[in-house]
Amino acid sequence: MRSTARACANIALIKYWGRADPELNLPLNASLSMNLADLVTETTVEFLDVPGEDVFVLDGRERSGPEVARVSRHLDRLRARAEVEAAARVESRNGFPAGAGLASSASGFAALTVAAASALGLPLAEPELSRLARLGSGSACRSVPGGFVEWPTGSDATSHGRSLHPAGHWELWDVIALVEEEAKGVSSLEGHRLALSSPFLGTRLNGLPGRLAGLRRALAERDFATLARATEEDALELHLVAMTSRPSIVYWQPGTVQVLQHVKRLSRQGLPVCFTMDAGANVHCLTPAQHRRTVEVELTALPLVERVLSSPPGGPAEVVE
Ligand code: DP6
């Protein structure tokens, strides 16, 4: 009744923004991401033999209120499958700053799902684990399979992550420029809801099937220039939708713009590097392995960058104990 699992965070090249079904976390659009090997959440779930309140300890601090409620609701889905009522003790550790737009809910709910299923002895295949993770946090379904992962729209049964290529397919690095380590102001939960009020959402959704097809092809052929164009366009569109939601959401900070300008400068000079941002101010810069150090040095030198984290592609969520 006790198990530990690890899962990677992921960075979306095509973003999930807006829900078709808020209860089931079904997305309005398909998304595509890369797991991040060095941004990992490790979670231990232990079911005690009595019913009662769940305990959730995150990064050494016991949580209360909505944080533990969200974990309990997720455990209920797994408890229902296993037909048990036992309370759980969940201990989770992020290897990176939580809540700074680094998708800790993705790695968190992927690790929680895989650890809880294993602790309960549920023999669930990857698609089902991914589907369950999606119910906890949408983007978490992309952290269950390994490498480069697509999450299609669809029904509750069909909308889950599936790996397009394993992590070893292409050694792209994500060099993350942290310009703000505080938790962000507007949650992605709220962002997904407000997206529906943006007059630009329809324009974005219309263009996405073409962009997704192009990105799939660029990944398969390891064509960085095409990947870079699609990734940057998509990130800018997410932020355009956020900024034009009613009320508007502005995730950017001065450091965000400084990094964007610098990445554009480097790219004009011929360095293969591109940017993307989630629902936060930090900037993820993708580059092939051989240029990683240059990108790290360039970003670290920017006055508004607090520090830089880097990661190559990561594997699937797995049970470690
Ligand atoms: C901007 O998966 O965090 O990172 O279901 O509320 O946890 P919840 O939403 P979440 O939304 C992710 C939004 C994003 C884009 C992406 O990762 O696709």
Side-chain angles (χ1 to χ4, degrees):
M1 295 293 268
R2 182 181 200 275
S3 215
T4 300
R6 286 163 58 91
C8 299
N10 67 71
I11 179 66
L13 312 183
I14 292 197
K15 312 284 188 189
Y16 153 48
W17 201 241
R19 297 187 166 109
D21 184 327
E23 293 304 309
L24 294 171
N25 279 350
L26 293 173
L28 279 174
N29 66 275
S31 55
L32 200 162
S33 60
M34 175 176 112
N35 280 359
L36 300 172
D38 292 344
L39 271 71
V40 169
T41 299
E42 189 169 297
T43 299
T44 301
V45 178
E46 181 172 11
F47 288 95
L48 314 165
D49 33 13
V50 283
E53 299 287 305
D54 297 318
V55 172
F56 175 42
V57 180
L58 175 61
D59 290 331
R61 190 159 64 79
E62 187 172 337
R63 306 299 167 126
S64 55
E67 280 181 288
V68 65
R70 192 171 174 194
V71 166
S72 285
R73 256 195 323 276
H74 195 58
L75 290 174
D76 286 345
R77 298 180 179 111
L78 287 123
R79 280 189 279 246
R81 288 292 283 260
E83 298 180 358
V84 302
E85 289 183 353
R89 179 182 167 81
V90 176
E91 199 140 350
S92 193
R93 215 162 263 287
N94 283 321
F96 53 91
L102 294 184
S104 57
S105 74
S107 52
F109 277 90
L112 179 67
T113 306
V114 171
S118 163
L120 290 168
L122 287 169
L124 302 178
E126 185 180 276
E128 183 56 11
L129 288 168
S130 172
R131 185 191 78 86
L132 282 165
R134 187 201 77 222
L135 295 169
S137 163
S139 57
C141 76
R142 296 189 313 241
S143 281
V144 173
F148 298 86
V149 178
E150 183 172 333
W151 170 24
T153 56
S155 67
D156 182 31
T158 59
S159 183
H160 56 74
R162 46 198 83 165
S163 180
L164 296 178
H165 304 283
H169 169 70
W170 190 3
E171 202 188 329
L172 279 181
W173 277 73
D174 181 8
V175 182
I176 309 164
L178 295 174
V179 300
E180 181 194 55
E181 293 198 41
E182 309 264 295
K184 60 185 181 258
V186 180
S187 68
S188 47
L189 185 80
E190 186 66 358
H192 289 297
R193 197 176 66 74
L194 290 176
L196 302 176
S197 67
S198 164
F200 294 102
L201 182 67
T203 309
R204 166 169 163 72
L205 293 176
N206 286 338
L208 275 175
R211 179 175 303 143
L212 183 64
L215 188 57
R216 272 199 214 108
R217 202 163 46 238
L219 264 181
E221 295 169 2
R222 301 185 189 85
D223 167 0
F224 187 81
T226 305
L227 174 135
R229 201 168 43 244
T231 300
E232 290 190 353
E233 279 174 13
D234 197 68
L236 292 172
E237 278 187 8
L238 180 154
H239 286 270
L240 174 75
V241 169
M243 286 177 191
T244 54
S245 292
R246 294 166 185 167
S248 63
I249 313 171
V250 181
Y251 287 112
W252 295 9
Q253 294 291 334
T256 313
V257 178
Q258 187 171 69
V259 177
L260 297 193
Q261 296 291 9
H262 197 57
V263 168
K264 279 186 158 293
R265 207 172 303 132
L266 294 172
S267 155
R268 271 198 305 273
Q269 290 165 2
L271 191 71
V273 58
C274 70
F275 60 76
T276 182
M277 299 81 73
D278 280 341
N282 299 318
V283 187
H284 295 247
C285 301
L286 299 171
T287 191
Q290 63 271 34
H291 302 290
R292 167 211 166 182
R293 294 273 177 230
T294 311
V295 173
E296 285 174 353
V297 169
E298 289 288 339
L299 297 182
T300 305
L302 294 175
L304 296 178
V305 171
E306 291 170 11
R307 70 190 166 115
V308 158
L309 300 175
S310 306
S311 177
E318 54 193 11
V319 174
V320 290
E321 241 179 82

